[in-house]
Amino acid sequence: MARVFVYGTLKKGQPNYKHMINTAKGLAKFQGRGRTVEKYPLVIAGKYNIPYMLNIPGTGHHVAGEIYSVDDQMLQFLDEFEGCPDTYQRTLMRIEVVEWEGKGSAGEARAAAEGVMECFVYSTTTYPPEWVGLPYHDSYDSSGKHGLSYVLRESR
């Protein structure tokens, strides 16, 4: 099992969460909530209003999201879903645990208790330069105050 931190449309209550609970795509087990240890710019960009975490450490906000344990099948699905490695790149980032529900191994429980763990995150280094000038968010909600409606893949 791998740990994945999701900050956008794959979170609970968001438009693509359905993929996280579709066992035909693999297993994803919610472990808790967290936020990036380093600051990153989280922007909503493109004609489909997609949330992107730009891989520019030290800029932006501590981005909030959810931590999941996923099996190899789900990790492969997420790589394809996220257009990895072209659109997003899957990298390890340090995530501060805000709330932990996980019932994993002793090592996982210890990492959660210590407050920081490494998780795979889909961020991007392949973005238009003007995205750096967009507003930065500390968390994403598809129906948030930003007023930018996310366009589902099936509607594009």
Side-chain angles (χ1 to χ4, degrees):
M1 298 291 274
R3 278 195 297 265
V4 176
F5 176 77
V6 298
Y7 57 85
T9 65
L10 291 167
K11 295 187 307 184
K12 289 181 182 179
Q14 297 304 309
N16 289 316
Y17 177 66
K18 62 187 179 232
H19 300 300
M20 298 298 284
I21 56 174
N22 182 348
T23 54
K25 295 178 185 217
L27 297 175
K29 187 169 179 288
F30 177 78
Q31 298 290 304
R33 292 183 309 108
R35 64 186 202 141
T36 58
V37 169
E38 290 201 70
K39 293 179 177 180
Y40 290 92
L42 171 59
V43 300
I44 302 169
K47 61 182 176 180
Y48 303 121
N49 295 319
I50 297 170
Y52 293 92
M53 185 189 301
L54 308 183
N55 198 338
I56 310 172
T59 301
H61 301 287
H62 300 282
V63 177
E66 297 172 349
I67 301 165
Y68 288 84
S69 287
V70 302
D71 66 5
D72 289 343
Q73 183 184 348
M74 178 59 80
L75 194 60
Q76 185 177 342
F77 165 78
L78 291 172
D79 279 355
E80 291 168 17
F81 182 78
E82 299 291 10
C84 185
D86 300 326
T87 304
Y88 292 92
Q89 297 79 47
R90 175 166 46 97
T91 56
L92 280 173
M93 289 186 186
R94 290 169 15 101
I95 303 298
E96 177 188 351
V97 177
V98 174
E99 183 182 307
W100 189 253
E101 292 181 12
K103 297 168 179 62
S105 66
E108 248 184 8
R110 189 166 52 254
E114 289 168 6
V116 174
M117 57 177 47
E118 287 210 320
C119 299
F120 285 122
V121 180
Y122 292 92
S123 63
T124 186
T125 56
T126 52
Y127 53 86
E130 60 270 18
W131 286 9
V132 175
L134 294 171
Y136 298 163
H137 304 272
D138 59 358
S139 66
Y140 175 79
D141 183 336
S142 62
S143 56
K145 291 185 294 215
H146 50 73
L148 301 168
S149 297
Y150 174 77
V151 179
L152 286 167
R153 267 174 207 214
E154 44 274 22
S155 302
R156 294 178 193 168

